[in-house]
Amino acid sequence: SSVFMKFCHVKSLKTKMLDQNALFGMGNPLLDICAVVDKDFLDKYGLKTNDQILAEEKHKEMFEEIVKKFKVEYHAGGATQNSVKVAQWMIQEPHKVATFFGCIGKDKFGKILKEKAEEAHVEAHYYEQTEEPTGTCAACITGDNRSLVANLAAANCYKKEKHLDLEENWKLVEKAQVYYIAGFFLTVSLESILKVAKHASENNKIFCLNLSAPFICEFFKEALMKVMPYVDILFGNETEAATFAQERGFETEDIEEIAKKAQSLPKENKKRQRIVVFTQGKEGTVMTKGVETFPVLKIDQSEIVDTTGAGDAFVGGFLSQLVQDKTFEQCIRAGHYAANVIIRHAGCTFPEKPDFH
């Protein structure tokens, strides 16, 4: 019978049943408005081909124009929400492993976001308010590049004391083992991020942050550096890594060196060494666990539909394995797989089931 017991134990290790709410994400829920546009449109609004910015006064007309002029598709978006959605898709069962917090308006777009979260089996608890409409993000696609312009609106109105601090909401935070927040949220509620990050650090849980965009590294570096001591896993792409290095005065342009330097920044929870993961599009992904580069899956240029959400999908794939205690190598493989699937579809969308082994 001891052999039988052993067998049962091995089996239970393999199929570790995931708990609901084991993965927690908080960020800016946005409705993505995706369209293939032309260079003239980008030039008119001063947009760069592969960039993410916040909408300014000069972009106000743009949201109207893109809907009038081009064929648009609507997708539930926002970086963090995309990632937890992809993680849940990779996990499949049980539903609601992923929880998401963010702020929306009580309007049509807010309703769509709620429906999309439901369809994705993510437990979304939105803070709903009436002052601002639900945030939108125009994804302007040219070739296999995309320029993102986010009009945060309601997403900007997230309030720690009106949502995160409420007992029933905080209980969901406490249930989680892995936390993920995109750097974009640093522009909205630093105090909410710090509360979650400190909870993770004090309870030896895993807190992940994404650099998200060059402008975050540049204009929100103070906020970023306040959170950095709590970061167990830092994500970013090659452009964000370069900007981060510049702003920190790292004096190197080598991505592996930048990753090592980011890894050795001061850290609160000494029980976990910080892991830094930098993607580089079709070049390999760099990870500091001894600094390795992992090649991405090959894809034919003609199969790429839209690279919007590729980075978010990579993180989602990574988190889906992380929350199941898989190796970091396995996390990266899952990240590459998810990104490879997403770029074959418009927006951050995917087939019904993953085919990841």
Side-chain angles (χ1 to χ4, degrees):
S1 76
S2 71
V3 174
F4 176 70
M5 288 303 290
K6 232 181 193 155
F7 171 75
C8 290
H9 178 64
V10 170
K11 196 160 163 35
S12 74
L13 274 182
K14 260 181 79 172
T15 52
K16 174 192 172 206
M17 251 324 251
L18 270 169
D19 295 326
Q20 287 192 334
N21 314 109
L23 173 64
F24 175 84
M26 179 167 61
N28 301 333
L30 302 172
L31 191 72
D32 286 343
I33 304 170
C34 306
V36 175
V37 303
D38 47 38
K39 193 178 173 303
D40 293 349
F41 185 80
L42 294 186
D43 293 344
K44 179 175 176 182
Y45 291 103
L47 305 176
K48 295 182 200 150
T49 49
N50 240 339
D51 202 10
Q52 300 97 308
I53 59 166
L54 293 178
E56 295 167 43
E57 204 45 54
K58 65 176 178 188
H59 300 116
K60 286 282 184 277
E61 313 287 288
M62 198 190 95
F63 290 85
E64 303 278 306
E65 189 178 334
I66 197 167
V67 174
K68 276 203 191 95
K69 222 170 152 177
F70 304 99
K71 187 175 166 294
V72 302
E73 286 192 16
Y74 293 103
H75 301 288
T80 306
Q81 187 164 242
N82 279 343
S83 294
V84 299
K85 203 169 74 175
V86 169
Q88 180 65 57
W89 169 69
M90 290 282 288
I91 291 164
Q92 291 282 312
E93 303 274 336
H95 292 162
K96 299 192 173 172
V97 168
T99 314
F100 177 76
F101 285 6
C103 182
I104 59 174
K106 292 188 177 176
D107 51 23
K108 182 181 85 198
F109 285 170
K111 202 167 156 275
I112 295 175
L113 279 183
K114 288 205 278 200
E115 283 162 13
K116 297 281 186 191
E118 194 109 331
E119 280 166 26
H121 307 299
V122 169
E123 183 156 354
H125 286 256
Y126 297 115
Y127 168 48
E128 297 181 52
Q129 47 74 64
T130 48
E131 267 100 274
E132 287 282 341
T134 297
T136 49
C137 177
C140 310
I141 301 155
T142 48
D144 61 355
N145 291 315
R146 47 105 186 104
S147 186
L148 306 179
V149 185
N151 181 22
L152 293 183
N156 221 354
C157 302
Y158 189 84
K159 299 276 181 290
K160 173 177 165 289
E161 57 288 349
K162 289 198 174 158
H163 195 261
L164 187 67
D165 292 346
L166 301 184
E167 194 183 338
E168 67 271 25
N169 290 336
W170 187 249
K171 276 202 175 107
L172 288 169
V173 177
E174 291 179 322
K175 277 180 82 175
Q177 294 303 316
V178 174
Y179 302 83
Y180 173 68
I181 298 177
F184 294 123
F185 203 57
L186 288 165
T187 73
V188 174
S189 182
L190 175 61
E191 56 283 10
S192 297
I193 299 179
L194 285 171
K195 181 172 183 177
V196 171
K198 285 175 180 166
H199 167 79
S201 181
E202 284 156 14
N203 294 279
N204 195 26
K205 296 171 175 184
I206 303 174
F207 182 80
C208 314
L209 185 79
N210 202 319
L211 293 175
S212 292
F215 83 86
I216 298 288
C217 305
E218 209 175 328
F219 303 114
F220 293 89
K221 60 177 171 200
E222 259 177 65
L224 180 60
M225 293 323 287
K226 280 192 177 136
V227 180
M228 199 55 80
Y230 305 102
V231 177
D232 295 302
I233 302 178
L234 180 69
F235 294 102
N237 66 22
E238 71 278 39
T239 6
E240 293 146 16
T243 312
F244 182 72
Q246 226 173 334
E247 292 298 323
R248 303 292 323 141
F250 282 172
E251 288 177 7
T252 176
E253 283 174 18
D254 179 70
I255 191 145
E256 296 194 352
E257 279 306 307
I258 297 170
K260 273 195 235 168
K261 288 192 184 261
Q263 180 178 37
S264 59
L265 289 168
K267 192 167 183 302
E268 279 292 318
N269 177 9
K270 304 280 189 272
K271 291 183 198 145
R272 294 181 188 278
Q273 189 191 23
R274 180 178 298 123
I275 302 279
V276 178
V277 182
F278 287 151
T279 57
Q280 316 177 73
K282 51 182 181 290
E283 300 304 315
T285 299
V286 171
M287 175 171 73
T288 59
K289 229 190 95 220
V291 193
E292 279 184 79
T293 301
F294 298 83
V296 302
L297 296 168
K298 293 271 182 282
I299 183 167
D300 201 300
Q301 210 51 30
S302 62
E303 293 177 54
I304 297 177
V305 175
D306 167 16
T307 55
T308 312
D312 301 339
F314 170 82
V315 172
F318 191 103
L319 295 171
S320 73
Q321 305 304 298
L322 186 67
V323 80
Q324 299 180 68
D325 298 331
K326 298 288 201 295
T327 65
F328 285 117
E329 287 71 16
Q330 177 80 342
C331 293
I332 288 206
R333 279 189 49 235
H336 285 165
Y337 168 78
N340 190 278
V341 169
I342 295 298
I343 57 181
R344 297 166 193 266
H345 295 79
C348 191
T349 57
F350 33 77
E352 197 188 332
K353 282 196 163 42
D355 179 24
F356 176 72
H357 307 292

